[in-house]
Amino acid sequence: MMNKDEARRITVIEQTLEGKFTNQQAADLLQLSVRQIKRLKAKARKAGISAIFHGNRNRKPHNAVSEQIEKRIIDLAEGELEGYNFLHMQEVLAEEHDLDISYSSLSRLLKKHGIKSPKGKRRRKKHRPREAKAYKGELVQLDASKYDWFSDGSYAHLHAAIDDATNQVLGLYFTKEETFEAYAELVLQINREHGLPHAFYADGRSIFFYDSRVKKKLSLEEELAGIKEKKPQFARACQALGIKLIQAHTPQAKGLVERLWGSLQDRLPKDFFRLGIHNMEDANKYLSGYILEWNRIHSHTPQKKGSFFSPKLSEKILHTHFAKHQYRILSSGYTFSFEGQK
């Protein structure tokens, strides 16, 4: 049996041999070079018209997936990994089942068996994005996502820190609500591996910024008296450590971490269910290893060499800065009141 292209090739070469087409006309019809047409004519004269078929026709490619491996992949795709997008499935097959298969080969195999990716590729909207920073540690995006991470109808907040220049996830941490303490934990995670970044990029939540429209402005007398402007605990700690805190005014401005949520919300609940992880404590233990594997696959080198991360600080110093600080005035008897007590 021949396909349409093969039948067309035979017809054109036969008619060229009969003198109905010139070599140039045959080349134009088959979209080949004149040199290739001459070779095909020589093959046909020597071994018959069927000799012009490709030498690998009807041969199984050397890198083709065996029937045994194909069945194993399909069984996993219809069972344990049902509902996984193709890229996520490819990573799990390699990491946990020792099945190395390219994304394109896996995609063709699954589609052949009628399995579609639940997360198809979408055409990106055209807009002018903010350019990524050039140096590692120059800017770190912070955010939290409320989601049903354990597929049980409850919710939790996953806090994340991701480097703007490399797409490298620097920290992940679960708590019930979005809290100052959770973001402080991210800073500790970042410092353990890299040091402290040059700047954080976060939205306008009160954990990071007070609303400039309603916060009390200091009078000139207060400034002269040395009274400091009140800041959120996280902003105060960053200022003391020399870390800039920059506000992102739209979700699109911190698109890197927003895209991270799209991936993690699709992947983590499936991984937690498969691995039997059903609570935040176990999830936080799992995340340290998950970050390493994620970065191995999804991070990239920065535009420029060098790093904006400052040297690592002792955790004792960081615990002091990220403790909650309160200002009180000493009385003449050197006492102060706090939460209704002297």
Side-chain angles (χ1 to χ4, degrees):
M1 295 293 292
M2 292 181 289
N3 59 37
K4 290 181 180 179
D5 290 337
E6 290 170 338
R8 178 180 175 81
R9 175 174 288 200
I10 281 183
T11 301
V12 172
I13 295 300
E14 281 181 333
Q15 293 183 2
T16 306
L17 288 169
E18 294 170 3
K20 295 181 179 179
F21 295 129
T22 65
N23 289 342
Q24 185 61 59
Q25 288 173 328
D28 293 339
L29 287 168
L30 297 179
Q31 296 183 341
L32 299 173
S33 67
V34 171
R35 188 176 181 182
Q36 287 174 297
I37 295 296
K38 289 179 179 178
R39 285 177 178 172
L40 291 175
K41 286 169 65 178
K43 278 185 177 182
R45 288 193 189 102
K46 184 177 180 180
I49 195 66
S50 62
I52 71 172
F53 290 134
H54 195 281
N56 287 332
R57 188 173 184 264
N58 295 328
R59 292 182 185 175
K60 192 170 184 177
H62 72 279
N63 60 345
V65 177
S66 69
E67 292 182 4
Q68 183 180 0
I69 292 177
E70 180 176 334
K71 183 180 184 305
R72 189 177 170 199
I73 290 174
I74 296 303
D75 287 345
L76 287 167
E78 293 178 338
E80 181 182 328
L81 303 182
E82 184 180 3
Y84 280 52
N85 71 66
F86 291 176
L87 184 59
H88 189 192
M89 190 184 299
Q90 181 202 12
E91 294 168 9
V92 174
L93 289 173
E95 295 162 20
E96 300 182 17
H97 299 278
D98 199 26
L99 292 171
D100 289 314
I101 181 171
S102 69
Y103 177 84
S104 57
S105 296
L106 178 64
S107 178
R108 285 195 300 270
L109 174 61
L110 295 174
K111 288 176 180 177
K112 184 178 79 172
H113 288 269
I115 300 172
K116 296 181 179 180
S117 177
K119 190 177 181 182
K121 292 184 178 179
R122 292 178 294 177
R123 184 173 294 178
R124 291 186 177 181
K125 295 180 181 178
K126 293 182 179 179
H127 67 281
R128 187 177 179 182
R130 175 184 62 79
E131 287 191 9
K133 296 299 181 181
Y135 293 94
K136 184 177 180 179
E138 188 175 357
L139 185 70
V140 171
Q141 297 188 22
L142 298 177
D143 199 20
S145 175
K146 178 182 177 181
Y147 193 68
D148 182 13
W149 295 101
F150 303 103
S151 306
D152 57 3
S154 65
Y155 72 89
H157 281 80
L158 179 57
H159 302 67
I162 186 168
D163 183 66
D164 194 77
T166 63
N167 288 17
Q168 187 174 3
V169 174
L170 306 177
L172 292 171
Y173 192 67
F174 275 109
T175 54
K176 183 65 176 174
E177 304 292 344
E178 185 175 3
T179 64
F180 158 72
E181 289 82 2
Y183 285 111
E185 171 62 28
L186 290 185
V187 178
L188 290 171
Q189 291 184 22
I190 296 169
N191 179 70
R192 285 185 202 119
E193 296 296 326
H194 309 279
L196 295 177
H198 175 70
F200 283 126
Y201 198 46
D203 57 25
R205 294 186 181 278
S206 58
I207 291 173
F208 307 112
F209 304 96
Y210 285 146
D211 190 337
S212 60
R213 296 168 298 180
V214 298
K215 74 175 181 180
K216 181 180 178 296
K217 304 288 185 181
L218 293 179
S219 65
L220 179 60
E221 291 77 13
E222 288 173 325
E223 289 182 4
L224 292 173
I227 297 174
K228 296 180 180 179
E229 183 179 355
K230 190 175 180 182
K231 291 178 177 290
Q233 297 284 350
F234 192 87
R236 172 202 46 78
C238 287
Q239 184 181 43
L241 292 167
I243 304 171
K244 289 184 179 180
L245 190 56
I246 304 170
Q247 183 173 356
H249 294 283
T250 64
Q252 291 79 11
K254 50 185 181 65
L256 185 61
V257 73
E258 295 293 339
R259 289 192 294 275
L260 177 67
W261 294 137
S263 296
L264 294 185
Q265 287 174 4
D266 177 58
R267 291 164 173 249
L268 277 178
K270 296 184 178 82
D271 288 338
F272 288 161
F273 181 81
R274 190 180 79 255
L275 299 172
I277 296 173
H278 304 296
N279 58 68
M280 291 188 294
E281 183 180 358
D282 291 339
N284 282 328
K285 291 177 183 177
Y286 169 73
L287 287 177
S288 58
Y290 185 84
I291 289 173
L292 292 174
E293 188 60 27
W294 176 273
N295 289 335
R296 183 184 67 80
I297 298 170
H298 299 283
S299 65
H300 58 76
T301 55
Q303 297 176 36
K304 296 183 179 179
K305 293 181 179 179
S307 173
F308 270 49
F309 282 111
S310 62
K312 298 176 184 178
L313 291 179
S314 74
E315 293 208 357
K316 185 177 180 180
I317 292 174
L318 287 181
H319 279 296
T320 301
H321 282 293
F322 282 95
K324 287 189 175 178
H325 293 195
Q326 298 287 346
Y327 291 93
R328 290 295 182 267
I329 297 175
L330 286 174
S331 69
S332 57
Y334 296 102
T335 63
F336 65 91
S337 62
F338 182 72
E339 294 185 348
Q341 297 186 3
K342 276 195 176 181

